[in-house]
Amino acid sequence: MNAPTIGTLHLRRLSLADDIATVHDWVNREYAAYWGLVGRSIEEVREAYVGILQDTDVYLGLYAEKPAFLVECYDPARHAIGRHYEHQPGDRGMHLLVAPPESKIPGFTWAVFRSVMDFLFSEPSVLRVVVEPDIRNEKIHGLNRRAGFRYQRAVELPHKTAHLALCTREHYLGALDPLAHAFDPPPLAHLTRDVWLRVNAELVHKAIAEFSHERLLTPRLEARGAEDSEFSLRPREDVEYRFRARVLPLDHWLIAAASLTKTVGGTKVPLDAFDFILEFAQALGITQTVLLVYLEEITCTLYAAAYKREHQRLTTADLVHAPFQEVEAAMTEGHPAFLANSGRVGFDAVDYRRYAPEVGAPVRLIWLAARRQRAEFSCSADLSYDRLLAEELGEATLTSFCALLEEEGLDPGDYLFLPVHPWQWSDKLALVFAADLAARDLVYLGESSDEYQAQQSIRTFFNLSSSHRRYVKTALSVLNMGFMRGLSADYMRGTPSINDWVHNLVSTDPHLATRRFRVLREVAGIGYRRAAFDSALPKASPYRKMLAALFRESPVPRLEPGERLLTMAALLHRDRDGTALLPELIRASGLDTDAWLRRYLDCYLAPLVHCFYRHDLAFMPHGENVILVLRGNVPVGVWLKDIAEEVALMDPTADVPEQVRRIRIAVPEAMRPLCIFTDVFDGFLRFMAGVLATSAGYAPERFWRAVADCIGAYQAACPELASRFARDDLFAPTFAHSCLNRLQLRNNRQMLDLTDPVAGLALSGTLENPIAPFRPGTVSLI
């Protein structure tokens, strides 16, 4: 056998006559305590191996013509471990004992381990290797995981408590070459003509509605109806789109689903989103450079929509009672305003199957060791690096990672450990950071033992193996919805401090406490820098944002008995049959819509209004960023996340710690209320009102009256803020219309400069304020 890096190893059958003295010496060493023969005489060891050889193949391994290791291969079905798992044909058990070294050879144990695995899998009938190491044997756990073993559970065997772990041929090969793509074909079953026509029609509906809302398109009124009126759009003389629609408050277009048709030269043709964008490109003001990338984003969004339609079978009735992460994976409209909201430019079809949130596939993160001189760790005041790793990795994995470094002659104390997205590792880091890997400034440690699930935000992961552990947010050099989704080392430095500051403000505010409005802190960040390389890059360059990670608190351990979690995006969700989840959720609560809506607005809207008026604080509280806490399907609180990246303190002179100052921004007085008008009213509640209007017969005017009542009640309870209510009037007749698709159509690689987001807003006139008619103290006839 050619062993990696150390030369040639040989295997031969164990000879009791020739080898028992050597084996007796090895198994009586302290390092071999887990072999279970310490203190036995040579005759006792010989007798033990006479029994072992009855049903086990035992080999002595040679290196440089000298005995170097011992391998036992057996059928697990004939051993005690076979009673603890579902045995399959092709399973082969393995024990390995490496001799005490005469002189340390870096990487020797790993080379032996790989050679033994190669030997086992060289037999075509062996499909899976089974091991059951002593639970205390941390070093072998590290080698097992490095080789691709999947740990199952602890089991009680006659002489030890052991970990059951399994490794298929595919897992082993994948662990040896973590950059390799799977050879199985990408998922294509959803790409049928019928499904493709359906999702194209749905996206054209949305394009007309949202582009008309943003006044990029102006449908022509053809015939006024009692409820729905008839409209048309003509990109050129021979092409016409015709449909029925009604326009709700905030210029929210509701297009009757079956009414939209397209004709070319008078002949009806299928709806095609790609053609639609090309036909209206001039009206959309999209440049040729942006157009090419935008069309790719549109196609990728259609691909995702087709997958969701074909593979997601959960109905709204199922989702009402489904677990948190099942609902998360079922979502289709995390960002309902954006047309191209699932672009993910950079993923291929295999990546999609592995990492797309709607697939819901378990993911094992990659862990790297980063030399401390190049890396930086920051954390909340109540955390430390050692505690974070102990809680996130566990002692066994942490010990095994340290052992891997030591095997290479490296000092674990010289490194910081950080997780990375598997795609980022294989498609970017291993290539762009090749020099760092060669210099051992970065070292590949292997996969996480825990499995994670990608969240709607695509680069954030929820821990499936231990839901009490933290979310992990990773850098991901994929273009999605107007930004390359990276994270920078500079950004990580201040993130925990910002989160601590916001958390302290929110948690000590009595008004917010009564509504159980809380934030999930991003408690730690780790970033890596390449000094010479980074110094040559512009500050906003995506190449500065390729290797960093942060850890965010999980809401799961903070739940009270009888409570469950639901992403707020679910309130806008419709299943594949078009049935809306929100009315089903309200029905299941036992409350009427008025009462349920009041409870929801008290948990969600009132705290945001309070943060705005009392603290000059604005969040980005869209559906993906808010987690509802439900009891009996009724909202009783919310968790707000993505704090450091999407929070603004609209007081540029506020006295805050230095690390928090980056969130201070100067906002023109007239623009300040947009944090409620745009981000809450137009960005979320507009769609929620549309769902209730179409699926529950709940009048939009009634919805907006409830919103007005919520804000009015808050203002009545806080008369000391009257001057602020007057300055930042949420009951003003109109407000500036800030448009999201216009941003993406203008620059879909970086929609905004996040250091000055107000300057880059895309405005289009004004919108009528839907709560203005319900100003407290006025009489409304609506």
Side-chain angles (χ1 to χ4, degrees), residues 672-707:
R672 286 171 50 87
L674 292 188
C675 69
I676 302 296
F677 286 144
T678 298
D679 298 333
V680 181
F681 283 19
D682 194 43
F684 191 82
L685 296 184
R686 167 168 69 95
F687 296 95
M688 190 174 172
V691 169
L692 288 175
T694 56
S695 298
Y698 194 75
E701 293 78 11
R702 196 168 176 179
F703 178 92
W704 291 109
R705 181 189 287 276
V707 172

Side-chain angles (χ1 to χ4, degrees), residues 334-597:
H335 283 286
F338 284 101
L339 189 66
N341 62 9
S342 300
R344 302 154 186 176
V345 176
F347 277 2
D348 63 24
V350 174
D351 299 327
Y352 180 89
R353 185 189 65 249
R354 291 173 170 178
Y355 309 125
E358 58 270 17
V359 176
V363 175
R364 292 180 186 268
L365 301 180
I366 300 297
W367 280 80
L368 303 179
R371 198 177 296 278
R372 285 180 180 267
Q373 291 94 318
R374 298 285 188 90
E376 183 175 359
F377 174 80
S378 58
C379 65
S380 294
D382 57 351
L383 192 61
S384 68
Y385 173 75
D386 290 339
R387 179 183 157 199
L388 175 75
L389 288 195
E391 292 175 351
E392 292 304 308
L393 288 175
E395 182 179 353
T397 301
L398 184 56
T399 301
S400 70
F401 284 172
C402 292
L404 294 179
L405 291 174
E406 291 167 351
E407 278 284 320
E408 295 197 28
L410 303 172
D411 183 355
D414 292 340
Y415 291 85
L416 295 173
F417 297 169
L418 77 161
V420 300
H421 194 292
W423 183 93
Q424 188 76 354
W425 163 247
S426 62
D427 283 55
K428 293 295 179 182
L429 301 179
L431 300 174
V432 179
F433 288 70
D436 305 72
L437 291 161
R440 287 301 185 256
D441 290 332
L442 289 175
V443 181
Y444 175 83
L445 298 175
E447 292 182 335
S448 62
S449 56
D450 285 352
E451 290 186 330
Y452 293 81
Q453 179 176 315
Q455 303 297 278
Q456 296 169 70
S457 54
I458 203 169
R459 57 179 167 161
T460 301
F461 291 92
F462 178 88
N463 193 315
L464 293 174
S465 301
S466 179
S467 60
H468 287 59
R469 286 181 171 171
R470 299 169 179 90
Y471 288 89
V472 177
K473 185 174 182 177
T474 60
L476 185 63
S477 300
V478 166
L479 182 66
N480 193 51
M481 243 170 37
F483 291 100
M484 193 71 76
R485 298 292 163 172
L487 288 176
S488 72
D490 291 335
Y491 179 84
M492 289 300 97
R493 185 189 303 119
T495 290
S497 296
I498 292 170
N499 276 263
D500 280 356
W501 184 83
V502 174
H503 168 74
N504 290 336
L505 184 151
V506 168
S507 63
T508 57
D509 186 307
H511 183 91
L512 299 177
T514 60
R515 286 163 171 78
R516 293 186 64 191
F517 179 86
R518 296 159 294 181
V519 299
L520 292 173
R521 288 186 302 160
E522 293 153 354
V523 294
I526 306 176
Y528 181 83
R529 293 185 180 86
R530 298 160 296 167
F533 190 91
D534 287 359
S535 65
L537 297 171
K539 189 172 183 179
S541 170
Y543 286 92
R544 283 180 173 266
K545 304 174 182 180
M546 295 180 73
L547 184 48
L550 62 80
F551 295 86
R552 177 188 299 142
E553 293 172 324
S554 169
V556 173
R558 294 160 175 80
L559 289 175
E560 296 179 4
E563 295 180 345
R564 69 184 186 97
L565 301 170
L566 184 77
T567 173
M568 197 173 76
L571 303 187
L572 309 182
H573 178 73
R574 295 179 184 274
D575 64 20
R576 65 198 305 269
D577 296 321
T579 305
L581 175 59
L582 178 56
E584 294 287 337
L585 190 68
I586 294 173
R587 275 192 286 273
S589 74
L591 300 179
D592 62 25
T593 303
D594 291 328
W596 194 97
L597 190 56

